[in-house]
Amino acid sequence: MSLKIQHIVPEIQARLSGNPDIEITNVSIDSRSLQNNSGTLFFALSGQNNDAHSYIPDLIGKGVRNFVVNHIPKGLENKANFLEVNNTLQALQDFASYYRKSFHFPIIGITGSNGKTIVKEWLNFLLSPDYNIIRSPKSYNSQVGVPLSVISINEKHNLGIFEAGISTVHEMEKLEKIIQPTIGILTNIGSAHDEGFQNQEEKIKEKLYLFEHSEVLIYQKNTLVDSLIKPDIKTFSWSLDNKEASVHISQKSVAGKTQLTITYDKISFDAVIPFQDKASIENAINCLMAMLYLGYLPEIIQERIQLLYSVEMRLKVKNGINNTEIIDDSYSSDYQSLRIALDFLEQQKQYKKKTIILSDIFQSGLPTDDLYKRVSELIASNKIDRVIGVGEEIGTYSGSFKNIITYKNTDELIADFKNLNFANETILIKGARIFQFEKIASLLEEKTHETVLEINLNAISHNLNFFRSKLKPETKLMVMVKAFGYGSGGFEIAKLLEYHKVDYLGVAFADEGIALKSAGITLPIMVLNPENTSFGAIIEHNLEPEIYSIKGLRAFLKIAEQRNLQQFPIHIKLDTGMHRLGFQENDLPELIDTLRGTSYIQVKSILSHMATSDDLEHHDFAKSQIALFEKLSSRLMQELSIEPIRHILNTSGISNYPEAQYGMVRLGIGLYGISNDPSETKYLENVGTLKSIISQIRTIQSGESVGYGRRFMAQKETRIATIPIGYADGIPRSWGNQLGYVLIKNEKAPIVGSICMDMLMVDVSAIDCQEGDPVVIFGENPNVTYIAEKLGTIPYEILTGISHRVKRVFYRE
């Protein structure tokens, strides 16, 4: 974002007091954000319980200079730029609408009562191999969340997916002006927020305003919806029973999954989704419809739709105490979502005995008597063994339920917790936010004290697509997964890359490639540093060796001849200045003579490695490497009459020397969110977050020491927390002794004393924390680039140094 205040003023109908020529680079409504700076435009929103105008003096003290306000706070008149408006929320929405008009790529707008977030997340997964997608974070679908989502668009995006939620009339018109969707999706219409509308018809009418100017509306054909859609809106409908729909779909259960048969425009094909509950089937079909409309071939739809996964953003499955399984759905309590949660319980149950902890039901749109009659019937039909009710209403209707115990509030349940004897059962926790059921979930969850490296697969996909956007359409892509995927894990990342259809994987040694092939990876895998003794295994597992010496070439040819191989792929490495591995110019005559005429092998590619692609001070040397590569590779190709793939660029080379893409490039550290260029880093997402917990907290007095060698001596009373991670886990000892820090409660806790083999100690005197609290070792803050700079090394060393004994946890947001 780069906008002048003078251009913003008329768009939000503001009165400016200050400099109109100031450049705005980001927008904020959160005074606590560490990203607030001199280029921030801060919207001072006012609500029932909070008025952001009161934070303006502190923000000015932190360097923020631009504010959208209802009024200028007294005494601050000339201390910042103020854009006065009648309503700061309306101004935020107007700004987002103005900003949205700067982009002209397709936008998918999603609304409905249920399924918006899931459809959004699934569409992101299904379409991300082909698009650089901007989407609403989590459930940012409100009057504030939508504009904040849209403002996050940047010039690298070429598809948007935004969800819009409303709770009453006249809200959707505002969101439509902000999202301006070109493609609309109407998901399931249920009972959520019914109380904000006179009837179902009014609610549907309001939701349909989102598609007022869309080129198409995707929805499940429905008589009531059909009657409310304006005639000028083009529709693309689906149905399980109505033959007049654009797409007809039939379904059947197959081995715990659902097989869909799709009939559309004289074609018919099957697709399997890994769900059987009604809600997931509807959501998956809406996604499938979007893919059809976007022109995806049936085989692509079939391949991707079967990989859909449960979105844990709302329903989370956790291990519980005493051999219990917890399904945590403590964020809302309405009738429709209860149905979905019970379906989910049935699909996911680990134990036969089923318990539900249920609060009063809100947002049902039903008379209370009718509501609890339906709820009791629903629970009975799902064969729930035990009901624990919390709230005045459900207590009043306890006679409608079998085997129920009720409490007036959450605290009363917690006081009686030990008497409930939770064991060997699956427990659904379903409650409205005001009941604070997270307290119950915390009591039920199994307490595991472990250090984990969390790997964000969404971020890997994002970073992959970022670098792909820099490539010519014909340029192939090899992704390096050597060194255990730069410390992040091999197979899981390789599987994701295979899904994204990269052309090659690169590993350092044969055993890494063998492990991937044995685990089912089918992509071609190049082994960059093969030892002669590994050639037999390389051939056996269909790996492709890099050959960098005459000795190695002859050794491989000998085995190839013994096994009577034909056109087995190899890769020729040229040394153009790195002086590490590879054939030099004076080796070429012998190399050509050795290769000429043999049918045992095929030169699949010719490659070299740049020594200074990340350092523009050595630009001339890098250019000389490219020129020499061009010369040597061309000679090989000409004298051998071959046309192999050529590649010399690594991650930094992709960005700094795009003219040398040749037939393929090799993406390495950039996939993991790291770049040597700060201007590029802001477009990448953090992939790995190393987390642990506080094992113990103690208070030491002045003059007492911490750790081996007494390298930390307390100057005053100090609270020390011990974290169960050390240099055996990959944390450099040099990061200790108050050079480094960890993050606890979003605050820095300096590492004190020497880092031990299995533990490190931090000063938490200024942090309100307790034993068991989570600790971030690295992630967004501190990031591995920062740590590497402080230690005088490179991020590669930090990432690859994380021990295999640290558990890797892979997730999608």
Side-chain angles (χ1 to χ4, degrees), residues 100 103-110 158-160 162 176 179-185 210-211 213-218 233-234 293-294:
R100 161 69 178 90
F103 301 92
H104 305 287
F105 50 77
I107 297 286
I108 299 175
I110 307 170
N158 56 15
L159 179 70
F162 297 107
E176 191 279 335
I179 298 175
Q180 302 167 39
T182 55
I183 299 170
I185 298 178
L210 180 62
F211 315 118
H213 302 100
S214 299
E215 65 183 41
V216 68
L217 167 60
I218 295 169
I233 295 179
K234 176 185 174 182
Y293 183 78
L294 290 169

PDB file of all heavy atoms in Angstrom, residues 100 103-110 158-160 162 176 179-185 210-211 213-218 233-234 293-294:
ATOM      1  N   ARG A 100     -10.255  -1.144  -2.644  1.00  0.00           N
ATOM      2  CA  ARG A 100     -10.638  -2.322  -3.430  1.00  0.00           C
ATOM      3  C   ARG A 100     -10.705  -2.002  -4.918  1.00  0.00           C
ATOM      4  O   ARG A 100     -10.338  -2.823  -5.778  1.00  0.00           O
ATOM      5  CB  ARG A 100     -11.986  -2.845  -2.928  1.00  0.00           C
ATOM      6  CG  ARG A 100     -12.751  -3.767  -3.868  1.00  0.00           C
ATOM      7  CD  ARG A 100     -12.074  -5.105  -4.039  1.00  0.00           C
ATOM      8  NE  ARG A 100     -12.848  -5.968  -4.912  1.00  0.00           N
ATOM      9  CZ  ARG A 100     -12.709  -6.027  -6.228  1.00  0.00           C
ATOM     10  NH1 ARG A 100     -11.796  -5.286  -6.850  1.00  0.00           N
ATOM     11  NH2 ARG A 100     -13.457  -6.832  -6.956  1.00  0.00           N
ATOM     12  N   PHE A 103      -7.884  -2.736  -7.625  1.00  0.00           N
ATOM     13  CA  PHE A 103      -7.518  -4.080  -8.062  1.00  0.00           C
ATOM     14  C   PHE A 103      -8.626  -4.652  -8.941  1.00  0.00           C
ATOM     15  O   PHE A 103      -9.806  -4.461  -8.675  1.00  0.00           O
ATOM     16  CB  PHE A 103      -7.269  -4.980  -6.845  1.00  0.00           C
ATOM     17  CG  PHE A 103      -6.181  -4.454  -5.947  1.00  0.00           C
ATOM     18  CD1 PHE A 103      -6.497  -3.628  -4.879  1.00  0.00           C
ATOM     19  CD2 PHE A 103      -4.863  -4.748  -6.179  1.00  0.00           C
ATOM     20  CE1 PHE A 103      -5.513  -3.109  -4.061  1.00  0.00           C
ATOM     21  CE2 PHE A 103      -3.865  -4.253  -5.366  1.00  0.00           C
ATOM     22  CZ  PHE A 103      -4.185  -3.425  -4.305  1.00  0.00           C
ATOM     23  N   HIS A 104      -8.202  -5.386  -9.955  1.00  0.00           N
ATOM     24  CA  HIS A 104      -9.169  -5.815 -10.973  1.00  0.00           C
ATOM     25  C   HIS A 104      -9.094  -7.316 -11.247  1.00  0.00           C
ATOM     26  O   HIS A 104      -9.317  -7.758 -12.367  1.00  0.00           O
ATOM     27  CB  HIS A 104      -8.935  -5.024 -12.254  1.00  0.00           C
ATOM     28  CG  HIS A 104      -8.980  -3.534 -12.055  1.00  0.00           C
ATOM     29  ND1 HIS A 104     -10.153  -2.846 -11.823  1.00  0.00           N
ATOM     30  CD2 HIS A 104      -7.987  -2.615 -11.995  1.00  0.00           C
ATOM     31  CE1 HIS A 104      -9.886  -1.560 -11.651  1.00  0.00           C
ATOM     32  NE2 HIS A 104      -8.577  -1.386 -11.751  1.00  0.00           N
ATOM     33  N   PHE A 105      -8.790  -8.091 -10.228  1.00  0.00           N
ATOM     34  CA  PHE A 105      -8.798  -9.537 -10.400  1.00  0.00           C
ATOM     35  C   PHE A 105     -10.098 -10.111  -9.820  1.00  0.00           C
ATOM     36  O   PHE A 105     -10.835  -9.409  -9.124  1.00  0.00           O
ATOM     37  CB  PHE A 105      -7.567 -10.171  -9.743  1.00  0.00           C
ATOM     38  CG  PHE A 105      -7.321  -9.753  -8.330  1.00  0.00           C
ATOM     39  CD1 PHE A 105      -8.078 -10.274  -7.283  1.00  0.00           C
ATOM     40  CD2 PHE A 105      -6.330  -8.848  -8.010  1.00  0.00           C
ATOM     41  CE1 PHE A 105      -7.835  -9.913  -5.972  1.00  0.00           C
ATOM     42  CE2 PHE A 105      -6.086  -8.467  -6.696  1.00  0.00           C
ATOM     43  CZ  PHE A 105      -6.833  -8.997  -5.685  1.00  0.00           C
ATOM     44  N   PRO A 106     -10.400 -11.390 -10.095  1.00  0.00           N
ATOM     45  CA  PRO A 106     -11.652 -11.985  -9.583  1.00  0.00           C
ATOM     46  C   PRO A 106     -11.702 -12.008  -8.060  1.00  0.00           C
ATOM     47  O   PRO A 106     -10.701 -12.260  -7.391  1.00  0.00           O
ATOM     48  CB  PRO A 106     -11.621 -13.408 -10.151  1.00  0.00           C
ATOM     49  CG  PRO A 106     -10.672 -13.367 -11.292  1.00  0.00           C
ATOM     50  CD  PRO A 106      -9.658 -12.326 -10.951  1.00  0.00           C
ATOM     51  N   ILE A 107     -12.870 -11.719  -7.541  1.00  0.00           N
ATOM     52  CA  ILE A 107     -13.116 -11.783  -6.100  1.00  0.00           C
ATOM     53  C   ILE A 107     -14.309 -12.699  -5.868  1.00  0.00           C
ATOM     54  O   ILE A 107     -15.380 -12.501  -6.433  1.00  0.00           O
ATOM     55  CB  ILE A 107     -13.426 -10.386  -5.508  1.00  0.00           C
ATOM     56  CG1 ILE A 107     -12.233  -9.448  -5.661  1.00  0.00           C
ATOM     57  CG2 ILE A 107     -13.840 -10.521  -4.042  1.00  0.00           C
ATOM     58  CD1 ILE A 107     -11.083  -9.716  -4.725  1.00  0.00           C
ATOM     59  N   ILE A 108     -14.108 -13.701  -5.030  1.00  0.00           N
ATOM     60  CA  ILE A 108     -15.203 -14.588  -4.636  1.00  0.00           C
ATOM     61  C   ILE A 108     -15.751 -14.090  -3.305  1.00  0.00           C
ATOM     62  O   ILE A 108     -15.021 -13.984  -2.317  1.00  0.00           O
ATOM     63  CB  ILE A 108     -14.714 -16.047  -4.488  1.00  0.00           C
ATOM     64  CG1 ILE A 108     -14.156 -16.556  -5.818  1.00  0.00           C
ATOM     65  CG2 ILE A 108     -15.855 -16.948  -4.010  1.00  0.00           C
ATOM     66  CD1 ILE A 108     -13.532 -17.945  -5.733  1.00  0.00           C
ATOM     67  N   GLY A 109     -17.032 -13.751  -3.281  1.00  0.00           N
ATOM     68  CA  GLY A 109     -17.700 -13.321  -2.061  1.00  0.00           C
ATOM     69  C   GLY A 109     -18.599 -14.429  -1.547  1.00  0.00           C
ATOM     70  O   GLY A 109     -19.378 -15.008  -2.312  1.00  0.00           O
ATOM     71  N   ILE A 110     -18.489 -14.733  -0.261  1.00  0.00           N
ATOM     72  CA  ILE A 110     -19.233 -15.858   0.327  1.00  0.00           C
ATOM     73  C   ILE A 110     -20.095 -15.360   1.473  1.00  0.00           C
ATOM     74  O   ILE A 110     -19.611 -14.650   2.359  1.00  0.00           O
ATOM     75  CB  ILE A 110     -18.273 -16.936   0.860  1.00  0.00           C
ATOM     76  CG1 ILE A 110     -17.281 -17.376  -0.223  1.00  0.00           C
ATOM     77  CG2 ILE A 110     -19.041 -18.137   1.392  1.00  0.00           C
ATOM     78  CD1 ILE A 110     -16.161 -18.254   0.305  1.00  0.00           C
ATOM     79  N   ASN A 158      -3.884 -12.310  -7.164  1.00  0.00           N
ATOM     80  CA  ASN A 158      -4.668 -12.359  -8.397  1.00  0.00           C
ATOM     81  C   ASN A 158      -6.005 -13.068  -8.221  1.00  0.00           C
ATOM     82  O   ASN A 158      -6.700 -13.363  -9.180  1.00  0.00           O
ATOM     83  CB  ASN A 158      -3.870 -13.010  -9.533  1.00  0.00           C
ATOM     84  CG  ASN A 158      -3.370 -14.393  -9.181  1.00  0.00           C
ATOM     85  OD1 ASN A 158      -3.826 -15.015  -8.221  1.00  0.00           O
ATOM     86  ND2 ASN A 158      -2.421 -14.892  -9.961  1.00  0.00           N
ATOM     87  N   LEU A 159      -6.367 -13.344  -6.966  1.00  0.00           N
ATOM     88  CA  LEU A 159      -7.695 -13.887  -6.644  1.00  0.00           C
ATOM     89  C   LEU A 159      -7.994 -13.554  -5.187  1.00  0.00           C
ATOM     90  O   LEU A 159      -7.119 -13.687  -4.329  1.00  0.00           O
ATOM     91  CB  LEU A 159      -7.748 -15.399  -6.861  1.00  0.00           C
ATOM     92  CG  LEU A 159      -9.086 -16.080  -6.522  1.00  0.00           C
ATOM     93  CD1 LEU A 159     -10.147 -15.691  -7.544  1.00  0.00           C
ATOM     94  CD2 LEU A 159      -8.946 -17.594  -6.466  1.00  0.00           C
ATOM     95  N   GLY A 160      -9.211 -13.137  -4.914  1.00  0.00           N
ATOM     96  CA  GLY A 160      -9.625 -12.849  -3.550  1.00  0.00           C
ATOM     97  C   GLY A 160     -10.774 -13.749  -3.130  1.00  0.00           C
ATOM     98  O   GLY A 160     -11.630 -14.094  -3.955  1.00  0.00           O
ATOM     99  N   PHE A 162     -13.432 -13.673   0.091  1.00  0.00           N
ATOM    100  CA  PHE A 162     -13.846 -12.969   1.306  1.00  0.00           C
ATOM    101  C   PHE A 162     -15.226 -13.447   1.732  1.00  0.00           C
ATOM    102  O   PHE A 162     -16.124 -13.639   0.903  1.00  0.00           O
ATOM    103  CB  PHE A 162     -13.886 -11.459   1.065  1.00  0.00           C
ATOM    104  CG  PHE A 162     -12.552 -10.866   0.718  1.00  0.00           C
ATOM    105  CD1 PHE A 162     -12.276 -10.458  -0.574  1.00  0.00           C
ATOM    106  CD2 PHE A 162     -11.564 -10.730   1.681  1.00  0.00           C
ATOM    107  CE1 PHE A 162     -11.039  -9.929  -0.911  1.00  0.00           C
ATOM    108  CE2 PHE A 162     -10.332 -10.191   1.356  1.00  0.00           C
ATOM    109  CZ  PHE A 162     -10.063  -9.792   0.063  1.00  0.00           C
ATOM    110  N   GLU A 176     -21.056  -5.233   0.552  1.00  0.00           N
ATOM    111  CA  GLU A 176     -20.979  -5.424  -0.898  1.00  0.00           C
ATOM    112  C   GLU A 176     -20.118  -4.348  -1.554  1.00  0.00           C
ATOM    113  O   GLU A 176     -19.326  -4.629  -2.458  1.00  0.00           O
ATOM    114  CB  GLU A 176     -22.393  -5.393  -1.495  1.00  0.00           C
ATOM    115  CG  GLU A 176     -22.467  -5.849  -2.966  1.00  0.00           C
ATOM    116  CD  GLU A 176     -22.087  -4.762  -3.971  1.00  0.00           C
ATOM    117  OE1 GLU A 176     -22.223  -3.556  -3.627  1.00  0.00           O
ATOM    118  OE2 GLU A 176     -21.667  -5.102  -5.080  1.00  0.00           O
ATOM    119  N   ILE A 179     -16.393  -5.464  -0.669  1.00  0.00           N
ATOM    120  CA  ILE A 179     -15.882  -6.684  -1.305  1.00  0.00           C
ATOM    121  C   ILE A 179     -15.992  -6.600  -2.827  1.00  0.00           C
ATOM    122  O   ILE A 179     -15.091  -7.019  -3.546  1.00  0.00           O
ATOM    123  CB  ILE A 179     -16.640  -7.924  -0.791  1.00  0.00           C
ATOM    124  CG1 ILE A 179     -16.431  -8.082   0.718  1.00  0.00           C
ATOM    125  CG2 ILE A 179     -16.188  -9.186  -1.525  1.00  0.00           C
ATOM    126  CD1 ILE A 179     -17.237  -9.195   1.351  1.00  0.00           C
ATOM    127  N   GLN A 180     -17.108  -6.087  -3.319  1.00  0.00           N
ATOM    128  CA  GLN A 180     -17.357  -5.983  -4.759  1.00  0.00           C
ATOM    129  C   GLN A 180     -17.078  -7.323  -5.455  1.00  0.00           C
ATOM    130  O   GLN A 180     -16.248  -7.417  -6.366  1.00  0.00           O
ATOM    131  CB  GLN A 180     -16.513  -4.877  -5.380  1.00  0.00           C
ATOM    132  CG  GLN A 180     -16.747  -3.502  -4.760  1.00  0.00           C
ATOM    133  CD  GLN A 180     -15.703  -2.480  -5.146  1.00  0.00           C
ATOM    134  OE1 GLN A 180     -15.253  -2.456  -6.295  1.00  0.00           O
ATOM    135  NE2 GLN A 180     -15.296  -1.628  -4.210  1.00  0.00           N
ATOM    136  N   PRO A 181     -17.749  -8.387  -5.019  1.00  0.00           N
ATOM    137  CA  PRO A 181     -17.421  -9.714  -5.554  1.00  0.00           C
ATOM    138  C   PRO A 181     -17.805  -9.866  -7.021  1.00  0.00           C
ATOM    139  O   PRO A 181     -18.844  -9.357  -7.458  1.00  0.00           O
ATOM    140  CB  PRO A 181     -18.246 -10.652  -4.671  1.00  0.00           C
ATOM    141  CG  PRO A 181     -19.400  -9.822  -4.210  1.00  0.00           C
ATOM    142  CD  PRO A 181     -18.852  -8.434  -4.051  1.00  0.00           C
ATOM    143  N   THR A 182     -16.979 -10.544  -7.765  1.00  0.00           N
ATOM    144  CA  THR A 182     -17.318 -10.884  -9.149  1.00  0.00           C
ATOM    145  C   THR A 182     -18.005 -12.248  -9.212  1.00  0.00           C
ATOM    146  O   THR A 182     -18.791 -12.503 -10.110  1.00  0.00           O
ATOM    147  CB  THR A 182     -16.050 -10.904 -10.013  1.00  0.00           C
ATOM    148  OG1 THR A 182     -15.093 -11.794  -9.423  1.00  0.00           O
ATOM    149  CG2 THR A 182     -15.438  -9.513 -10.095  1.00  0.00           C
ATOM    150  N   ILE A 183     -17.669 -13.119  -8.260  1.00  0.00           N
ATOM    151  CA  ILE A 183     -18.289 -14.441  -8.158  1.00  0.00           C
ATOM    152  C   ILE A 183     -18.887 -14.556  -6.765  1.00  0.00           C
ATOM    153  O   ILE A 183     -18.216 -14.281  -5.766  1.00  0.00           O
ATOM    154  CB  ILE A 183     -17.251 -15.560  -8.376  1.00  0.00           C
ATOM    155  CG1 ILE A 183     -16.626 -15.453  -9.770  1.00  0.00           C
ATOM    156  CG2 ILE A 183     -17.884 -16.940  -8.174  1.00  0.00           C
ATOM    157  CD1 ILE A 183     -15.433 -16.378  -9.975  1.00  0.00           C
ATOM    158  N   GLY A 184     -20.149 -14.941  -6.684  1.00  0.00           N
ATOM    159  CA  GLY A 184     -20.820 -15.061  -5.393  1.00  0.00           C
ATOM    160  C   GLY A 184     -21.121 -16.506  -5.053  1.00  0.00           C
ATOM    161  O   GLY A 184     -21.435 -17.308  -5.937  1.00  0.00           O
ATOM    162  N   ILE A 185     -21.018 -16.840  -3.778  1.00  0.00           N
ATOM    163  CA  ILE A 185     -21.408 -18.168  -3.299  1.00  0.00           C
ATOM    164  C   ILE A 185     -22.319 -17.985  -2.095  1.00  0.00           C
ATOM    165  O   ILE A 185     -21.952 -17.339  -1.113  1.00  0.00           O
ATOM    166  CB  ILE A 185     -20.182 -19.017  -2.891  1.00  0.00           C
ATOM    167  CG1 ILE A 185     -19.265 -19.253  -4.090  1.00  0.00           C
ATOM    168  CG2 ILE A 185     -20.639 -20.355  -2.301  1.00  0.00           C
ATOM    169  CD1 ILE A 185     -18.006 -20.039  -3.759  1.00  0.00           C
ATOM    170  N   LEU A 210     -25.242  -9.035  -1.330  1.00  0.00           N
ATOM    171  CA  LEU A 210     -23.813  -9.171  -1.593  1.00  0.00           C
ATOM    172  C   LEU A 210     -23.530  -9.417  -3.063  1.00  0.00           C
ATOM    173  O   LEU A 210     -22.446  -9.082  -3.560  1.00  0.00           O
ATOM    174  CB  LEU A 210     -23.241 -10.328  -0.746  1.00  0.00           C
ATOM    175  CG  LEU A 210     -21.741 -10.612  -0.903  1.00  0.00           C
ATOM    176  CD1 LEU A 210     -20.913  -9.402  -0.473  1.00  0.00           C
ATOM    177  CD2 LEU A 210     -21.319 -11.839  -0.100  1.00  0.00           C
ATOM    178  N   PHE A 211     -24.513  -9.989  -3.770  1.00  0.00           N
ATOM    179  CA  PHE A 211     -24.277 -10.386  -5.158  1.00  0.00           C
ATOM    180  C   PHE A 211     -24.942  -9.436  -6.152  1.00  0.00           C
ATOM    181  O   PHE A 211     -25.121  -9.769  -7.311  1.00  0.00           O
ATOM    182  CB  PHE A 211     -24.796 -11.812  -5.360  1.00  0.00           C
ATOM    183  CG  PHE A 211     -24.407 -12.749  -4.250  1.00  0.00           C
ATOM    184  CD1 PHE A 211     -25.361 -13.368  -3.457  1.00  0.00           C
ATOM    185  CD2 PHE A 211     -23.069 -12.983  -3.970  1.00  0.00           C
ATOM    186  CE1 PHE A 211     -25.000 -14.205  -2.416  1.00  0.00           C
ATOM    187  CE2 PHE A 211     -22.702 -13.826  -2.927  1.00  0.00           C
ATOM    188  CZ  PHE A 211     -23.668 -14.444  -2.147  1.00  0.00           C
ATOM    189  N   HIS A 213     -23.978  -6.967  -7.827  1.00  0.00           N
ATOM    190  CA  HIS A 213     -23.245  -6.648  -9.054  1.00  0.00           C
ATOM    191  C   HIS A 213     -22.296  -7.766  -9.471  1.00  0.00           C
ATOM    192  O   HIS A 213     -21.378  -7.539 -10.264  1.00  0.00           O
ATOM    193  CB  HIS A 213     -22.467  -5.344  -8.869  1.00  0.00           C
ATOM    194  CG  HIS A 213     -23.344  -4.176  -8.519  1.00  0.00           C
ATOM    195  ND1 HIS A 213     -23.486  -3.712  -7.223  1.00  0.00           N
ATOM    196  CD2 HIS A 213     -24.149  -3.406  -9.287  1.00  0.00           C
ATOM    197  CE1 HIS A 213     -24.326  -2.695  -7.214  1.00  0.00           C
ATOM    198  NE2 HIS A 213     -24.749  -2.484  -8.450  1.00  0.00           N
ATOM    199  N   SER A 214     -22.498  -8.972  -8.956  1.00  0.00           N
ATOM    200  CA  SER A 214     -21.638 -10.098  -9.315  1.00  0.00           C
ATOM    201  C   SER A 214     -21.964 -10.617 -10.708  1.00  0.00           C
ATOM    202  O   SER A 214     -23.105 -10.495 -11.176  1.00  0.00           O
ATOM    203  CB  SER A 214     -21.805 -11.244  -8.304  1.00  0.00           C
ATOM    204  OG  SER A 214     -21.442 -10.826  -7.006  1.00  0.00           O
ATOM    205  N   GLU A 215     -20.972 -11.215 -11.340  1.00  0.00           N
ATOM    206  CA  GLU A 215     -21.209 -11.770 -12.671  1.00  0.00           C
ATOM    207  C   GLU A 215     -21.949 -13.098 -12.586  1.00  0.00           C
ATOM    208  O   GLU A 215     -22.564 -13.541 -13.564  1.00  0.00           O
ATOM    209  CB  GLU A 215     -19.894 -11.953 -13.424  1.00  0.00           C
ATOM    210  CG  GLU A 215     -18.947 -12.967 -12.822  1.00  0.00           C
ATOM    211  CD  GLU A 215     -17.623 -13.070 -13.546  1.00  0.00           C
ATOM    212  OE1 GLU A 215     -17.073 -12.025 -13.938  1.00  0.00           O
ATOM    213  OE2 GLU A 215     -17.129 -14.199 -13.714  1.00  0.00           O
ATOM    214  N   VAL A 216     -21.899 -13.760 -11.418  1.00  0.00           N
ATOM    215  CA  VAL A 216     -22.582 -15.032 -11.262  1.00  0.00           C
ATOM    216  C   VAL A 216     -22.823 -15.297  -9.778  1.00  0.00           C
ATOM    217  O   VAL A 216     -22.064 -14.841  -8.927  1.00  0.00           O
ATOM    218  CB  VAL A 216     -21.755 -16.191 -11.880  1.00  0.00           C
ATOM    219  CG1 VAL A 216     -20.485 -16.445 -11.091  1.00  0.00           C
ATOM    220  CG2 VAL A 216     -22.581 -17.472 -11.996  1.00  0.00           C
ATOM    221  N   LEU A 217     -23.872 -16.036  -9.486  1.00  0.00           N
ATOM    222  CA  LEU A 217     -24.175 -16.489  -8.126  1.00  0.00           C
ATOM    223  C   LEU A 217     -24.233 -18.004  -8.126  1.00  0.00           C
ATOM    224  O   LEU A 217     -25.003 -18.617  -8.875  1.00  0.00           O
ATOM    225  CB  LEU A 217     -25.514 -15.927  -7.652  1.00  0.00           C
ATOM    226  CG  LEU A 217     -26.099 -16.559  -6.378  1.00  0.00           C
ATOM    227  CD1 LEU A 217     -25.155 -16.384  -5.197  1.00  0.00           C
ATOM    228  CD2 LEU A 217     -27.470 -15.968  -6.040  1.00  0.00           C
ATOM    229  N   ILE A 218     -23.415 -18.633  -7.283  1.00  0.00           N
ATOM    230  CA  ILE A 218     -23.394 -20.083  -7.104  1.00  0.00           C
ATOM    231  C   ILE A 218     -24.191 -20.413  -5.842  1.00  0.00           C
ATOM    232  O   ILE A 218     -23.947 -19.842  -4.781  1.00  0.00           O
ATOM    233  CB  ILE A 218     -21.939 -20.585  -6.973  1.00  0.00           C
ATOM    234  CG1 ILE A 218     -21.173 -20.354  -8.279  1.00  0.00           C
ATOM    235  CG2 ILE A 218     -21.907 -22.060  -6.577  1.00  0.00           C
ATOM    236  CD1 ILE A 218     -19.680 -20.558  -8.161  1.00  0.00           C
ATOM    237  N   ILE A 233     -29.486 -11.191 -12.264  1.00  0.00           N
ATOM    238  CA  ILE A 233     -28.321 -11.872 -11.697  1.00  0.00           C
ATOM    239  C   ILE A 233     -28.187 -13.252 -12.336  1.00  0.00           C
ATOM    240  O   ILE A 233     -29.100 -14.073 -12.274  1.00  0.00           O
ATOM    241  CB  ILE A 233     -28.449 -12.009 -10.164  1.00  0.00           C
ATOM    242  CG1 ILE A 233     -28.441 -10.626  -9.500  1.00  0.00           C
ATOM    243  CG2 ILE A 233     -27.308 -12.858  -9.605  1.00  0.00           C
ATOM    244  CD1 ILE A 233     -28.594 -10.661  -7.989  1.00  0.00           C
ATOM    245  N   LYS A 234     -27.042 -13.496 -12.960  1.00  0.00           N
ATOM    246  CA  LYS A 234     -26.776 -14.791 -13.569  1.00  0.00           C
ATOM    247  C   LYS A 234     -26.529 -15.818 -12.468  1.00  0.00           C
ATOM    248  O   LYS A 234     -25.817 -15.545 -11.505  1.00  0.00           O
ATOM    249  CB  LYS A 234     -25.550 -14.704 -14.482  1.00  0.00           C
ATOM    250  CG  LYS A 234     -25.131 -16.026 -15.104  1.00  0.00           C
ATOM    251  CD  LYS A 234     -23.843 -15.863 -15.902  1.00  0.00           C
ATOM    252  CE  LYS A 234     -23.341 -17.213 -16.397  1.00  0.00           C
ATOM    253  NZ  LYS A 234     -22.048 -17.081 -17.135  1.00  0.00           N
ATOM    254  N   TYR A 293     -17.041 -23.470 -12.430  1.00  0.00           N
ATOM    255  CA  TYR A 293     -17.253 -22.166 -13.049  1.00  0.00           C
ATOM    256  C   TYR A 293     -15.946 -21.545 -13.530  1.00  0.00           C
ATOM    257  O   TYR A 293     -15.903 -20.876 -14.572  1.00  0.00           O
ATOM    258  CB  TYR A 293     -17.954 -21.217 -12.076  1.00  0.00           C
ATOM    259  CG  TYR A 293     -18.254 -19.869 -12.697  1.00  0.00           C
ATOM    260  CD1 TYR A 293     -19.327 -19.711 -13.567  1.00  0.00           C
ATOM    261  CD2 TYR A 293     -17.434 -18.774 -12.447  1.00  0.00           C
ATOM    262  CE1 TYR A 293     -19.581 -18.493 -14.164  1.00  0.00           C
ATOM    263  CE2 TYR A 293     -17.687 -17.547 -13.037  1.00  0.00           C
ATOM    264  CZ  TYR A 293     -18.765 -17.411 -13.905  1.00  0.00           C
ATOM    265  OH  TYR A 293     -19.014 -16.205 -14.506  1.00  0.00           O
ATOM    266  N   LEU A 294     -14.871 -21.795 -12.791  1.00  0.00           N
ATOM    267  CA  LEU A 294     -13.564 -21.250 -13.168  1.00  0.00           C
ATOM    268  C   LEU A 294     -12.890 -22.053 -14.271  1.00  0.00           C
ATOM    269  O   LEU A 294     -11.775 -21.721 -14.691  1.00  0.00           O
ATOM    270  CB  LEU A 294     -12.654 -21.183 -11.941  1.00  0.00           C
ATOM    271  CG  LEU A 294     -13.041 -20.126 -10.895  1.00  0.00           C
ATOM    272  CD1 LEU A 294     -12.234 -20.332  -9.614  1.00  0.00           C
ATOM    273  CD2 LEU A 294     -12.828 -18.715 -11.441  1.00  0.00           C
TER     274      LEU A 294
END
